Amino acid sequence: MTSTRVLTGITTTGTPHLGNYVGAIRPAIAASQDESVQSYYFLADLHALIKASDPKRVQQSRLEIAATWLALGLDTDNAIFYRQSDIHETTELAWMLSCVCAKGLMNRAHAYKAAVAENEEGGSPDPDRGITMGLFSYPVLMAADILMFNANRVPVGRDQVQHIEMARDMAGRFNHLYKGNYFTLPEAVVDERVQTLNGLDGRKMSKSYDNTIPLFSSEKKLLKLIRKIKTNSLEPGKPKDPETCTLFQIYSAFASESEEQAMRTRYAEGIGWGDAKNAVFEHLNAQLEGPRGEYERLMQDPDHIESVLQKGAERARAEANTLLERLRPAVGLGRFV
């Protein structure tokens, strides 16, 4: 058995965009090919229910995200790729963890505190107005996702570090109460080198801002979106600063060092914004053309995607069952004979 286990969840609440690819998908897929690491990648579709109330959108997002990861080369022989909702043991573990988790810990969760603050700022007499138990307790479900496979490392953004600390708290409390070394205490991994792309309006690329470029847009749509990227009013012939330019940032995220340097030279020479946008489109389109074709093929073959996920779920459930068979008697739920 490999000594290092890495787990990553992918929330199924939208269409993957360039920012998702650069910030999370690309490094995760590279890691999936490292045979010295056992990687777990799962579609966090139960988490998606907290915010998404349209079942058709949730279903479509699950399909799109699974197809995206497979089209981009996820190694499903080495990594275990599965749907969260297929591992029923996870919700059983979440209940066990809920029974050792202090409510005060959940009161301090960033998402819950932000929702309460929004209600208070809006003058609501009920600070919990509109807040579901899903939102309140989802750090427990996240802890179950992680602890089910005793992941050593969990790559997250800085805003998610608190959830890993909560998982450590629950794991340590369970181990203490039931006098055993049942769970590994996971470590948050924040890679400061991971790039954050800006979107069409210059802000961070995010579905919340409606400023994204879907990863597998058609050629026509990709060109249209790139032409909408906000630039300044400098005319052709005037030197331009690549460090403050969204166009250059997106280009460099997909470019080699020599390609990036060549584009820097064109900026210094005063490339026109129209020419810059055309160059960015041509470069991105050339890199995405192959995966886009594979993505479109996979979207027309959901049976294949389902078979891949079922194989992953079978592997994941085998491990999950082994752990639950150990945990049930530990808490007094085991068989009589």
Side-chain angles (χ1 to χ4, degrees):
M1 181 179 294
T2 54
S3 58
T4 302
R5 293 177 161 224
V6 179
L7 180 139
T8 298
I10 311 120
T11 307
T12 54
T13 54
T15 300
H17 54 72
L18 296 183
N20 297 144
Y21 173 65
V22 171
I25 302 174
R26 183 167 62 186
I29 286 177
S32 77
Q33 298 161 0
D34 184 349
E35 294 184 0
S36 68
V37 174
Q38 178 60 73
S39 298
Y40 299 80
Y41 299 102
F42 67 95
L43 304 178
D45 49 357
L46 293 178
H47 286 291
L49 300 182
I50 296 169
K51 293 183 178 180
S53 57
D54 180 353
K56 291 183 180 178
R57 188 68 197 99
V58 172
Q59 182 78 330
Q60 181 67 15
S61 179
R62 297 196 309 165
L63 184 64
E64 289 175 355
I65 290 173
T68 295
W69 282 68
L70 294 176
L72 290 168
L74 182 70
D75 185 344
T76 55
D77 290 328
N78 185 40
I80 298 178
F81 186 48
Y82 59 96
R83 270 184 305 242
Q84 181 187 38
S85 59
D86 284 336
I87 314 304
H88 302 151
E89 294 83 359
T90 301
T91 50
E92 182 178 351
L93 176 57
W95 179 250
M96 291 184 186
L97 296 176
S98 293
C99 293
V100 303
C101 177
K103 177 179 178 292
L105 187 65
M106 295 296 97
N107 288 343
R108 296 191 291 274
H110 296 323
Y112 173 64
K113 288 174 65 178
V116 169
E118 185 176 346
N119 281 335
E120 292 175 341
E121 290 167 6
S124 173
D126 178 8
D128 286 324
R129 181 176 181 273
I131 298 175
T132 66
M133 283 304 298
L135 174 66
F136 181 73
S137 62
Y138 90 90
V140 180
L141 180 58
M142 184 170 175
D145 292 323
I146 297 165
L147 300 178
M148 178 63 76
F149 300 104
N150 278 312
N152 308 95
R153 300 165 57 206
V154 185
V156 291
R158 193 160 293 283
D159 61 335
Q160 292 285 313
V161 169
Q162 184 195 46
H163 293 126
I164 312 306
E165 293 171 346
M166 289 177 165
R168 289 173 60 87
D169 185 280
M170 287 176 242
R173 185 166 174 78
F174 191 100
N175 288 346
H176 173 73
L177 287 174
Y178 294 107
K179 299 176 174 57
N181 187 24
Y182 300 102
F183 298 119
T184 298
L185 302 189
E187 296 285 346
V189 179
V190 179
D191 190 345
E192 302 293 355
R193 298 170 299 172
V194 169
Q195 293 173 276
T196 300
L197 289 190
N198 290 336
L200 303 178
D201 57 3
R203 294 182 292 176
K204 175 185 174 181
M205 190 176 291
S206 170
K207 294 185 289 289
S208 301
Y209 297 144
D210 193 27
N211 66 352
T212 66
I213 300 176
L215 184 59
F216 292 132
S217 300
S218 66
E219 287 190 27
K220 184 177 179 180
K221 183 64 180 291
L222 179 61
L223 178 58
K224 182 179 179 180
L225 288 171
I226 288 174
R227 284 179 173 166
K228 289 175 66 176
I229 292 174
K230 185 178 179 181
T231 54
N232 60 35
S233 58
L234 286 174
E235 297 179 354
K238 298 286 186 180
K240 297 169 178 65
D241 181 8
E243 303 305 328
T244 59
C245 178
T246 297
L247 269 176
F248 182 82
Q249 184 206 36
I250 292 174
Y251 179 88
S252 62
F254 290 83
S256 65
E257 288 187 17
S258 61
E259 289 168 335
E260 180 180 335
Q261 188 54 49
M263 183 59 79
R264 284 184 182 275
T265 300
R266 296 185 71 183
Y267 267 63
E269 293 171 348
I271 186 174
W273 290 127
D275 288 341
K277 289 179 178 181
N278 287 338
V280 171
F281 163 72
E282 290 168 5
H283 187 73
L284 263 64
N285 191 54
Q287 293 211 16
L288 295 174
E289 186 176 13
R292 184 196 295 131
E294 179 63 9
Y295 171 80
E296 292 171 352
R297 186 191 69 76
L298 286 166
M299 287 295 290
Q300 297 301 315
D301 189 7
D303 287 347
H304 174 73
I305 296 175
E306 184 66 26
S307 68
V308 170
L309 290 171
Q310 287 298 331
K311 288 177 183 176
E314 185 177 348
R315 294 170 66 189
R317 279 196 303 267
E319 291 193 29
N321 275 321
T322 298
L323 179 65
L324 264 295
E325 285 173 3
R326 186 176 176 219
L327 296 183
R328 291 184 189 115
V331 301
L333 299 178
R335 296 173 181 271
F336 292 128
V337 291

